Amino acid sequence: MIWVLPLKNMSEEEIKDITIIGAGPSGLFAAFQAGMYEESVRIIDSISEPGGQLSALYPEKYIFDAPGFPKITAKDLVKNLFNQADQFSPELRLNEKALEIVNSADVFHVKTDKGLYLTKTVIIAAGFGAFKPRTLGLPDIERFEGRGVYYFVRGKNLFKGKDVVIVGGGDSAIDWALNLIDTAGEITLVHRKETFRAHPDSVRRITEYSKTGRIKILTPYEVKSVTGTEYPKEVIITDLTGKEVFIKANHILLLLGFTSDLGPIENWGVDIEDSRIKVDINMETNRKGIFAVGDIANYPGKLKLILTGFSDAAQAVRRSVPYVRPRGKMRDIHSTSLKVFDKQS
């Protein structure tokens, strides 16, 4: 069903220059960039707070590759990004899911589960879309979900002084093993392969901790079952020969990655490639005036890093200008030359 609003009764305030779908790091930085170009912005996100996965999954995890910060927690990075964008007062609509994007005249109609909005351009910054954690598919473990078995960390205090078993071999598993060193009691890292798929420096650091006994690394092992009544008591793991090892555990972190689902995005008429949106060098999709940035954008040589999303956002906003001001002159904007920042200094 096509949803279209009549334009004759719409005020300029109701028709935004840019509607950003997704309030993660890339979306928030896009809002800031749009403010620098004096473009009006609306941000729509299906979760209840800005920050995307950083807020939803690991707010207390340290981020080490954000430019200008040797390390910063995910929640603090989100706070800074939001404050940066909020200087330009974007319209923020949380707990609202974007369902359709329809062309009409010179604007797009963005339909959500709560309303219908008009916009001159759209920037899709939806991360990996809807995501859910991978599980081991073992009933013995699933019965403890939320009661000692977790798929992400919302707060470190839960693990204070506790024996923690972390299962996984990617960046999340390694990072949380390192992040919990000063909080948890005993930490055991279990991985089904000999090698890890994490940043080399993180692997080096965790290897050094294992030599001092601060972290125990068991590879190649797989989880077989978990014992306990109301809460976990022990994790039983096996090696390639079938040998069993019993590990005392108060909490189990299953950090095995996530599966993503683009959901309604697949029906928006944008080209999908490798479960992401295909864009050109300007971050523009095959639908003119619709851009994609951050993890959801796919182009040759793409690096899946937060800082790449910032660059994507800056490019997309700059290329939105001809749609917002068709007779305006394309120019680069620098914060040092804007009066709005001079007033705040």
Side-chain angles (χ1 to χ4, degrees), residues 62-292:
Y62 279 114
I63 307 296
F64 295 96
D65 57 356
F69 298 97
K71 70 175 182 179
I72 184 171
T73 62
K75 65 181 180 181
D76 285 339
L77 179 59
V78 168
K79 180 181 178 181
N80 290 346
L81 287 166
F82 178 79
N83 289 339
Q84 186 181 39
D86 198 42
Q87 298 173 90
F88 300 107
S89 303
E91 177 185 320
L92 187 62
R93 295 190 173 274
L94 301 175
N95 281 320
E96 196 159 348
K97 185 176 182 179
L99 302 176
E100 296 180 55
I101 303 176
V102 179
N103 292 76
S104 177
D106 296 326
V107 299
F108 293 98
H109 297 248
V110 178
K111 179 180 181 288
T112 73
D113 57 351
K114 294 183 179 179
L116 192 60
Y117 308 103
L118 298 185
T119 183
K120 296 177 183 178
T121 61
V122 177
I123 294 179
I124 304 171
F128 291 111
F131 48 87
K132 61 180 181 179
R134 290 191 174 94
T135 69
L136 291 174
L138 299 174
D140 279 353
I141 295 178
E142 292 175 352
R143 67 190 178 98
F144 291 111
E145 288 179 353
R147 295 183 295 111
V149 171
Y150 306 96
Y151 296 97
F152 48 85
V153 179
R154 290 284 299 172
K156 293 169 62 173
N157 285 339
L158 177 67
F159 305 94
K160 189 172 183 179
K162 304 296 184 179
D163 295 326
V164 181
V165 173
I166 299 175
V167 182
D171 282 308
S172 290
I174 300 298
D175 288 349
W176 273 118
L178 294 171
N179 283 343
L180 290 174
I181 279 180
D182 297 327
T183 303
E186 185 170 299
I187 299 174
T188 304
L189 179 63
V190 177
H191 184 39
R192 62 189 179 88
K193 295 182 179 180
E194 291 280 4
T195 58
F196 296 99
R197 310 178 313 280
H199 192 283
D201 184 64
S202 298
V203 175
R204 177 191 62 79
R205 291 171 60 205
I206 203 166
T207 301
E208 291 178 356
Y209 278 117
S210 71
K211 292 177 181 178
T212 65
R214 189 64 190 86
I215 294 177
K216 184 184 296 183
I217 298 177
L218 296 176
T219 62
Y221 279 90
E222 292 189 347
V223 176
K224 180 180 179 181
S225 62
V226 177
T227 67
T229 52
E230 188 176 355
Y231 296 95
K233 182 178 180 182
E234 288 182 316
V235 178
I236 304 172
I237 62 174
T238 60
D239 64 9
L240 298 177
T241 67
K243 175 187 173 183
E244 292 185 347
V245 175
F246 291 75
I247 310 168
K248 185 173 64 173
N250 303 117
H251 297 297
I252 303 161
L253 275 173
L254 299 179
L255 302 178
L256 308 171
F258 293 84
T259 58
S260 60
D261 181 5
L262 293 179
I265 296 175
E266 291 186 310
N267 300 317
W268 289 356
V270 293
D271 288 342
I272 305 295
E273 184 177 76
D274 192 24
S275 298
R276 291 178 290 163
I277 299 174
K278 185 178 180 180
V279 297
D280 63 16
I281 194 172
N282 297 319
M283 301 299 117
E284 193 164 17
T285 70
N286 57 298
R287 292 184 66 182
K288 299 303 179 183
I290 299 181
F291 302 82

Side-chain angles (χ1 to χ4, degrees), residues 7-19:
L7 298 182
K8 61 181 180 180
N9 295 322
M10 301 302 293
S11 66
E12 291 184 5
E13 289 76 14
E14 291 173 301
I15 303 175
K16 296 298 183 184
D17 293 329
I18 301 178
T19 291

Side-chain angles (χ1 to χ4, degrees), residues 33-50:
Q33 286 288 310
M36 290 179 60
Y37 279 91
E38 299 182 325
E39 296 177 322
S40 59
V41 173
R42 174 185 298 111
I43 305 174
I44 299 172
D45 201 298
S46 60
I47 62 177
S48 60
E49 58 186 328

Side-chain angles (χ1 to χ4, degrees), residues 280-318:
D280 63 16
I281 194 172
N282 297 319
M283 301 299 117
E284 193 164 17
T285 70
N286 57 298
R287 292 184 66 182
K288 299 303 179 183
I290 299 181
F291 302 82
V293 301
D295 288 335
I296 203 166
N298 193 17
Y299 53 83
K302 174 65 178 281
L303 292 175
K304 295 181 180 180
L305 299 173
I306 291 176
L307 60 90
T308 309
F310 297 156
S311 175
D312 292 350
Q315 181 74 307
V317 170
R318 184 175 186 272

